[in-house]
Amino acid sequence: MRATMKHVAARAGVSIKTVSNVVNDSHRVALQTRLRVQAAIDELGFVPNATARSLRSGRSGLVALALPELDAPYFAELAQHVVEAARDRGWTVLVDATGGHAEQERVAASGIRPQLIDGLIFSPLALRAGDLPDAGTGPPTVLLGERVTDAAVDLVTVDNHAVAATAVEHLAGLGRRRIAAVGAQTTETGVTARLRLEGYRQGLVRAGLPCDEALVVQAASWHRPEGAAGARALLGAVGGIDAIVCFNDLLALGVLRALADAGVRVPDDVAVVGVDDVEDGRYSRPSLTTVALDKAQIARTAVELLAARLAGARDAPPRAVVAGHRLVVRESTAGPAGATLSP
């Protein structure tokens, strides 16, 4: 038979109210009594009723994380950071993959299971600010990314112009003069791609290099096959490239494979830079130079902003926080002598 508070109280020789105070971490219990009750809980294997505790506190201790996809390493690593930051606050995270589909994102924006979760951390691709629930009707929400920047909710993003320009300026500093880009997108959901393309062009201008649109390759999605196809397109249609900026690391990994298949030496013939700093890039051959996004900071900041809203800052003006980034130089631009395996 499942142990109850009554059983624990009888074993510890205290009242049921005292057991309740211990379970709910009340400070009104003397240390020796608390230890006696905790010993009884452990002996009987008592498990508090989470539903009842939720009703008393008005909180479930559950938050939702909605991301476009989980099979992309960037989002998988970001999700892990969110889970760890939430765990430090005693929260459990429910993770949903929306696929970037509008209908699934609407479900996520409404709170997935609004009666179950306390708040939402959400990276939308298809929705606009007007598609989000009005304040007070949806769960407290923190947005990630660049798709929705004008909503009346907190936002954590990165400076995508600076991210792409950093990659270009690194290559230009190495003497590269024909720098291509892989990952451009013209779709409505391709906001991040457009920002990085603008940053790529800005980097070329600052380096005194021409913006040759023939060196810009579209990619319907940011996965390895599109990167490989982009590299083949550049090699087949444009002569004389000596560097490629890829708008994420998965594209860059595909580029590396296609260049190797074509007998192109990296970085001797063509240098390659990605964005994100996913773990796979540290172990590719050659290892991948990348502009690392601070995924831990993004996750930690999102959790902190959500916690502030849950603590009572519901009416405070929305905050927008720009997370950091840094260049990590590895073999795909510096060669083996200049590479470091960044942790």
Side-chain angles (χ1 to χ4, degrees), residues 124 127-129 132 143-158 160 191 195 318-320:
L127 298 190
R128 300 179 179 181
L132 299 176
L143 296 180
L144 306 179
E146 299 74 42
R147 171 60 176 161
V148 180
T149 58
D150 54 349
V153 296
D154 296 320
L155 171 71
V156 185
T157 186
V158 297
N160 284 287
V191 176
L195 293 173
R319 293 180 57 195

Side-chain angles (χ1 to χ4, degrees), residues 46-261:
F46 170 68
V47 178
N49 186 317
T51 302
R53 293 179 67 185
S54 173
L55 290 173
R56 286 192 296 273
S57 68
R59 298 277 173 78
S60 66
L62 300 175
V63 296
L65 172 65
L67 299 171
E69 52 188 341
L70 295 177
D71 54 354
Y74 172 79
F75 288 115
E77 293 177 14
L78 178 61
Q80 181 62 37
H81 284 296
V82 171
V83 168
E84 291 171 357
R87 184 182 295 129
D88 289 342
R89 293 184 175 272
W91 297 350
T92 298
V93 180
L94 304 180
V95 182
D96 183 35
T98 66
H101 302 307
E103 188 54 41
Q104 189 60 35
E105 288 192 351
R106 287 190 185 93
V107 173
S110 68
I112 303 176
R113 295 289 186 271
Q115 73 281 9
L116 183 63
I117 69 167
D118 295 330
L120 170 67
I121 298 172
F122 180 26
S123 178
L125 286 184
L127 298 190
R128 300 179 179 181
D131 298 318
L132 299 176
D134 294 333
T137 61
T141 299
V142 177
L143 296 180
L144 306 179
E146 299 74 42
R147 171 60 176 161
V148 180
T149 58
D150 54 349
V153 296
D154 296 320
L155 171 71
V156 185
T157 186
V158 297
D159 185 345
N160 284 287
H161 288 109
V163 163
T166 295
V168 172
E169 290 163 4
H170 168 62
L171 293 166
L174 296 174
R176 308 290 172 152
R177 291 295 177 263
R178 293 277 289 170
I179 303 172
V182 173
Q185 295 178 337
T186 58
T187 60
E188 185 178 2
T189 60
V191 176
T192 302
R194 289 195 290 277
L195 293 173
R196 290 185 185 173
L197 180 58
E198 292 168 5
Y200 159 80
R201 290 168 175 157
Q202 291 171 1
L204 291 175
V205 170
R206 286 204 288 262
L209 300 175
C211 298
D212 185 348
E213 293 303 317
L215 301 184
V216 177
V217 177
Q218 300 281 322
S221 65
W222 285 0
H223 292 95
R224 296 174 184 86
E226 287 76 14
R232 290 192 292 268
L234 285 169
L235 293 175
V238 181
I241 64 167
D242 57 13
I244 303 175
V245 172
C246 302
F247 288 175
N248 82 341
D249 282 353
L250 287 189
L251 290 170
L253 292 172
V255 163
L256 290 178
R257 178 55 191 249
L259 294 178
D261 289 346

